[in-house]
């Protein structure tokens, strides 16, 4: 299986600032996804990062708040913009090796605390 | 629309006892079903999955799950709990949308194992 590295692993940020999270995969993958896991809750899909085109956002998430880049098949970034304490969550990068592939792999996550 | 319900947000068992984590799904099409485990401060790891074929699926660490279409269930079991099984467990179902599969997660069940 692919190795997924997320940076940073955790951060404490001031409200009103932005944080960019990086996701690096050791092989080329077709599908990359970003999830949010709020404290004590399950995972919610934020968006699908599409290589060479704009990300596809789920209901309740917008590009201005969560801009995503996918410059190539091994790398993606998620920015959490203009942060508030409600953005304190774990953010996870996930990959799938093919469009119809069933198995998804996850990075270790970025634990974000906004103060 | 696809959805997942996990019964019991917290389950506590004694070491050596049977582990049973419940998952029911709703899907308008034959589902793909998954169980993931999340250890503290880590990402998600796939325990097992059902796509097609045999309805009793065996996974890692001695876990198994049975797909029961008539009951729309995919409960996770392990005959004998170990202290190292203490973690958060997520059931997930695929949602086919926009030309590819997305994962929809249940709320999670936190398993505690006591001596």
């Amino acid at each position: 299986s692919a190795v997924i590295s997320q940076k940073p692993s955790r951060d404490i940020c001031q409200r009103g600032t932005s944080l960019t999270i990086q996701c690096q995969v050791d092989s080329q993958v077709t599908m990359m996804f970003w999830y949010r896991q709020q404290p004590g809750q399950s995972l919610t899909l934020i968006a699908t990062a599409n290589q060479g085109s704009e990300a596809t956002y789920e209901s309740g998430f917008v590009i201005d708040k969560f801009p995503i880049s996918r410059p190539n098949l091994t790398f993606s970034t998620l920015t959490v913009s203009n942060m508030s304490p409600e953005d304190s969550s774990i953010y996870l990068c996930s990959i799938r090796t093919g469009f119809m592939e069933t198995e998804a792999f996850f990075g270790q996550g970025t634990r974000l605390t906004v103060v | 629309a696809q959805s997942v319900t996990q019964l019991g947000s917290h389950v506590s068992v004694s070491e050596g006892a049977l582990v049973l984590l419940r998952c029911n799904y709703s899907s308008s099409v034959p589902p793909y079903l998954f169980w993931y485990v999340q250890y503290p401060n880590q990402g998600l790891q796939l325990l097992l999955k059902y796509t097609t074929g045999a309805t009793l699926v065996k996974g890692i660490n001695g876990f198994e799950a049975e797909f029961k279409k008539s009951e729309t269930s995919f409960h996770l079991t392990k005959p004998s709990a170990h202290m190292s099984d203490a973690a958060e467990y997520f059931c997930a179902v695929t949602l086919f949308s926009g030309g590819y599969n997305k994962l929809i997660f249940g709320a999670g069940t936190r398993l505690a194992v006591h001596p």
Side-chain angles (χ1 to χ4, degrees):
Chain A
S1 62
V3 176
I4 307 167
S5 301
Q6 272 188 247
K7 292 181 180 179
S9 59
R10 59 177 63 229
D11 207 342
I12 301 173
C13 300
Q14 296 291 323
R15 67 178 67 199
T17 63
S18 298
L19 175 71
T20 295
I21 303 168
Q22 298 180 1
C23 179
Q24 178 73 55
V25 188
D26 68 346
S27 58
Q28 294 186 342
V29 296
T30 306
M31 312 296 296
M32 294 183 79
F33 305 87
W34 287 99
Y35 285 84
R36 181 176 71 183
Q37 185 179 19
Q38 293 177 300
Q41 298 190 29
S42 187
L43 283 77
T44 302
L45 181 62
I46 297 172
T48 303
N50 303 309
Q51 195 269 329
S53 64
E54 281 194 2
T56 304
Y57 289 84
E58 298 300 306
S59 176
F61 297 96
V62 295
I63 187 171
D64 290 346
K65 177 66 176 178
F66 297 102
I68 287 171
S69 77
R70 178 91 191 270
N72 56 54
L73 292 175
T74 64
F75 186 77
S76 177
T77 66
L78 169 74
T79 298
V80 186
S81 303
N82 188 25
M83 289 183 285
S84 67
E86 291 71 34
D87 294 319
S88 297
S89 295
I90 299 172
Y91 293 86
L92 294 120
C93 173
S94 174
I95 67 164
R96 189 172 287 135
T97 55
F99 284 106
M100 296 305 295
E101 183 62 47
T102 57
E103 188 164 336
F105 300 93
F106 288 82
Q108 291 193 310
T110 296
R111 184 178 296 272
L112 170 63
T113 302
V114 183
V115 298
Chain B
Q2 282 84 338
S3 66
V4 176
T5 302
Q6 290 184 241
L7 299 177
S9 58
H10 291 81
V11 171
S12 181
V13 300
S14 299
E15 190 174 20
L18 171 71
V19 175
L20 172 60
L21 305 183
R22 300 178 186 274
C23 173
N24 288 89
Y25 69 91
S26 171
S27 177
S28 57
V29 298
Y32 292 168
L33 296 158
F34 306 82
W35 276 100
Y36 283 86
V37 60
Q38 185 178 35
Y39 297 103
N41 300 314
Q42 295 190 28
L44 274 71
Q45 180 182 8
L46 180 67
L47 273 178
L48 48 80
K49 65 178 180 181
Y50 169 79
T51 54
T52 58
T55 56
L56 181 62
V57 180
K58 295 186 184 298
I60 62 172
N61 301 337
F63 285 93
E64 62 182 37
E66 186 171 11
F67 169 61
K68 292 187 176 181
K69 184 178 178 180
S70 61
E71 299 178 6
T72 62
S73 68
F74 191 57
H75 302 331
L76 182 70
T77 60
K78 182 174 180 178
S80 177
H82 193 272
M83 298 295 288
S84 61
D85 294 326
E88 186 92 19
Y89 292 81
F90 294 96
C91 183
V93 65
T94 50
L95 167 65
F96 184 75
S97 174
Y100 51 85
N101 290 322
K102 301 177 186 178
L103 280 177
I104 306 300
F105 286 87
T109 298
R110 184 168 297 275
L111 175 66
V113 182
H114 51 84

